[in-house]
Amino acid sequence: MKIIPLKEGNFSASKTKDFTLLTEENFNTVSGIKMSVQPFLIITENDYILLDAGIGWKNERGNTVISEILERENIRPEQITKLLLSHLHKDHIDGTITFTENGYEATFPNAQIYIQQRELDFAMEKKEILPLILIF
């Protein structure tokens, strides 16, 4: 088994769930909860398993940080076979979809998505996140 950390970066999350990338310049001036966003890729003999999908943060070139890490590892998004979502917070699931000129598309199109039934049931009760759930 091989485990690859896919660190998108350190962020501050505001009360309205807006994320700001933390840098040396803004670290002490940005308010909110500070956190690291770091999904993991687990490679086994049979699967490429993504544990959480991050927030889909794009770098200065307009590419997602995770896609560039995967590319450096010679892994294409189509190779991901399983996506394990620990829970449905924005910093764990926003990277599962990509907005294109044709609308939303699965970032990892061949991945089977796994989530706890209890977490999914709770999300389905919360109407404000229902549209995101329906994308899956």
Side-chain angles (χ1 to χ4, degrees):
M1 172 185 318
K2 179 178 180 181
I3 299 175
I4 301 170
L6 305 173
K7 185 171 183 175
E8 286 186 281
N10 296 317
F11 296 87
S12 176
S14 71
K15 290 180 181 181
T16 58
K17 308 292 189 278
D18 293 316
F19 283 74
T20 301
L21 181 66
L22 294 174
T23 64
E24 289 182 23
E25 293 79 25
N26 72 4
F27 188 85
N28 292 319
T29 59
V30 176
S31 62
I33 298 172
K34 292 179 172 66
M35 67 183 73
S36 180
V37 177
Q38 180 166 300
F40 291 91
L41 178 65
I42 304 160
I43 302 173
T44 67
E45 188 175 320
N46 299 315
D47 288 296
Y48 285 73
I49 305 166
L50 189 58
L51 176 56
D52 290 328
I55 58 177
W57 192 262
K58 292 185 178 179
N59 59 26
E60 60 280 351
R61 291 178 297 284
N63 301 322
T64 64
V65 173
I66 289 179
S67 68
E68 288 202 348
I69 297 170
L70 291 174
E71 188 176 310
R72 278 197 309 266
E73 296 288 333
N74 294 313
I75 298 167
R76 296 179 322 282
E78 297 81 21
Q79 289 177 266
I80 307 300
T81 56
K82 293 182 169 74
L83 175 53
L84 309 180
L85 299 175
S86 61
H87 60 283
L88 295 175
H89 286 171
K90 178 178 184 158
D91 55 317
H92 295 258
I93 67 168
D94 273 8
T96 61
I97 56 172
T98 303
F99 184 71
T100 70
E101 57 189 40
N102 299 321
Y104 289 100
E105 295 179 4
T107 304
F108 309 101
N110 297 322
Q112 291 180 312
I113 298 174
Y114 295 85
I115 186 161
Q116 298 178 62
Q117 185 66 52
R118 184 177 62 191
E119 182 75 12
L120 183 59
D121 291 344
F122 178 76
M124 296 302 280
E125 291 174 12
K126 303 295 180 188
K127 300 301 182 205
E128 64 271 11
I129 67 170
L130 188 57
L132 181 57
I133 300 300
L134 293 177
I135 291 169
F136 293 125

